[in-house]
Amino acid sequence: MSVALHPIEEATMANPYSEIFKVPGTKGFASAGFVARMPMAMAPIGIVAMLSQTHGEYWLAGAVSATYALTNAVAAPQISRFVDRLGQTRVVVPTTLISVLAFAALMAAANQDWPIWTLFVSAFLAAAMPSIPAMVRARWSEIFRDRPELNTAFAFESAADELVYIAGASLSVGLSVALFPEAGMLASTLFLAFGSAAFIMQRATEPRVRQLELGGSQGSAIRQRPVQIITFALIFVGAIFATAEVSAVAITKDLGQPGAASLVIGVYAVGSFVVGLIVGALNLKMPLQRQLAIAVGIIALTTLPLLIANTVPLLALAVFVSGVAISPTFITAFGLIERRVPEAMLTEGITWVMTGIGIGMALGAFATGWVVDNFGAQNGFWVSVAAGTVSLLTVLLGQKTLAGERYRVASPAPVPQAAE
């Protein structure tokens, strides 16, 4: 005899990831957003791979790549601020067009041996690329605001970011080496152009523009205390991420097994990816600020075993363990931004946090490299310990602020829609 399941039991048994994609339009903007964000991982390393082959000078390749990355880190939050005020389509179209044309000019300059200054100008203009991950998360927030499904959606996006960084860099370098120097950058630019075009065509899920009520802050989202706290904390989480990569390369080289570095870095990403998906499938009732404190606390605690990992197997195990809380940290951090930041500033708020992660990775790589050069490969992980401690203290001291309420917003101002 068959027994009918209670609706609550059916919901419990259902795959939460399949549930969020039952909403019309979600598959379209999520898949387009995945393609459009590929340049996040492909462009910086693609510039290095291209110019190191065409010009034979790594300092030049690194300088041009840094020009692009640092300019984008500064510009992305400002672009997202305009997105919040004007709507996604009105900002994504011109900024993406500028970025695509600048990338094309950069490839032409490299191929045709144009003057060096054209490389830097092209890289500077290419940094107009908007933050697609922030806009994708804004769409999920519009659909599932104040609902448990939003946690699952953010977990999916964190997993997508992990896949982009795992596959994007390898694809970019692989194409440049196997085909021709500009191949990686060409693929990255095509992903940006076609992915962004497909994304903005999904007009039905585009968030409406919201205006702050009188009395709400009209300035940048970075002036919001929750954004400051979370961004500062995630700068140091980003530093931990970079430290693991740099130290893994240095230690495996010292152990006479340099080829093992890619394996060690791979398990770091895999641990974060798997645990992030699991957390996204759970409907945790604990307040998000406490979840963030626990996740960052685990990150800080798991940096300690890295100090005694003196063989490749031990290093791989320690790095795997230290990576398990990375995705949960990002998921809860973005969830807090969504709940504590005015809705009229959501895209910019998310972008600031992502910028913080990128800044932390750059600073962490620099600091770890200095420590490794001066004190040995194994001591590079002390940067992770210090960064984990600062990040945890930041989150703990900010618990009261992160538990507060966000500004309320006025009635939405609709974005002009294309005729059906």
Side-chain angles (χ1 to χ4, degrees):
M1 180 178 67
S2 61
V3 179
L5 289 175
H6 189 276
I8 296 179
E9 294 176 323
E10 288 185 307
T12 303
M13 296 177 64
N15 179 350
Y17 291 99
S18 65
E19 291 298 309
I20 63 174
F21 284 108
K22 288 182 178 179
V23 177
T26 53
K27 291 180 181 178
F29 77 73
S31 56
F34 181 84
V35 174
R37 82 183 71 180
M38 287 294 287
M40 287 172 27
M42 295 183 70
I45 191 64
I47 293 172
V48 173
M50 177 178 67
L51 295 180
S52 62
Q53 293 182 76
T54 59
H55 288 67
E57 296 175 305
Y58 280 93
W59 74 265
L60 176 63
V64 174
S65 180
T67 297
Y68 161 76
L70 293 176
T71 305
N72 183 251
V74 173
Q78 314 312 319
I79 294 171
S80 291
R81 185 176 178 183
F82 282 109
V83 169
D84 285 326
R85 293 181 175 183
L86 303 175
Q88 293 186 352
T89 299
R90 292 178 64 185
V91 176
V92 172
V93 172
T95 54
T96 300
L97 183 60
I98 292 171
S99 187
V100 167
L101 292 176
F103 276 131
L106 180 60
M107 287 184 281
N111 182 267
Q112 299 298 315
D113 199 23
W114 290 355
I116 297 298
W117 65 265
T118 61
L119 299 175
F120 287 95
V121 171
S122 298
F124 179 84
L125 294 174
M129 184 175 71
S131 178
I132 296 295
M135 288 186 283
V136 173
R137 287 177 170 89
R139 293 198 180 206
W140 285 118
S141 297
E142 184 80 359
I143 295 171
F144 293 125
R145 181 167 283 113
D146 299 325
R147 291 170 56 183
E149 291 92 336
L150 185 58
N151 182 69
T152 302
F154 280 0
F156 173 82
E157 291 306 318
S158 292
D161 288 339
E162 295 276 4
L163 284 177
V164 164
Y165 279 109
I166 291 172
S170 299
L171 177 62
S172 187
V173 174
L175 289 172
S176 293
V177 173
L179 300 178
F180 49 90
E182 301 84 8
M185 283 304 303
L186 177 59
S188 174
T189 305
L190 291 175
F191 281 138
L192 175 62
F194 289 103
S196 297
F199 182 75
I200 61 174
M201 288 175 65
Q202 314 292 320
R203 298 300 301 277
T205 53
E206 180 175 345
R208 294 171 293 178
V209 174
R210 289 175 165 82
Q211 303 297 329
L212 286 168
E213 289 181 340
L214 293 177
S217 172
Q218 298 292 328
S220 170
I222 197 62
R223 296 176 63 181
Q224 301 286 315
R225 289 293 294 166
V227 178
Q228 294 173 355
I229 292 168
I230 295 172
T231 299
F232 188 75
L234 263 62
I235 285 175
F236 292 94
V237 173
I240 294 172
F241 193 78
T243 299
E245 295 181 345
V246 175
S247 295
V249 171
I251 292 174
T252 53
K253 183 179 179 181
D254 275 6
L255 293 173
Q257 299 176 298
S262 58
L263 171 65
V264 173
I265 295 172
V267 262
Y268 188 59
V270 168
S272 174
F273 176 78
V274 172
V275 176
L277 287 178
I278 294 172
V279 169
L282 302 175
N283 184 16
L284 301 177
K285 302 298 184 182
M286 182 184 299
L288 281 177
Q289 70 273 10
R290 293 183 187 174
Q291 292 185 41
L292 181 63
I294 291 172
V296 174
I298 293 173
I299 289 177
L301 183 63
T302 54
T303 59
L304 298 175
L306 294 168
L307 298 172
I308 58 172
N310 54 8
T311 67
V312 170
L314 278 177
L315 180 63
L317 178 61
V319 166
F320 175 84
V321 172
S322 71
V324 296
I326 294 292
S327 271
T329 297
F330 292 166
I331 294 166
T332 52
F334 289 126
L336 277 167
I337 290 292
E338 188 275 331
R339 295 191 184 186
R340 302 292 179 254
V341 174
E343 295 165 3
M345 294 180 169
L346 180 59
T347 309
E348 185 192 354
I350 293 174
T351 305
W352 273 115
V353 174
M354 299 190 70
T355 298
I357 297 169
I359 292 172
M361 291 179 68
L363 295 177
F366 174 79
T368 305
W370 183 86
V371 171
V372 167
D373 287 339
N374 290 276
F375 302 101
Q378 194 69 49
N379 287 314
F381 282 121
W382 280 107
V383 177
S384 292
V385 175
T389 301
V390 175
S391 183
L392 178 59
L393 287 174
T394 301
V395 172
L396 290 177
L397 292 173
Q399 285 290 291
K400 183 176 180 180
T401 299
L402 295 178
E405 296 294 329
R406 65 179 166 210
Y407 287 112
R408 304 314 300 168
V409 296
S411 300
V415 174
Q417 301 290 319
E420 297 290 342

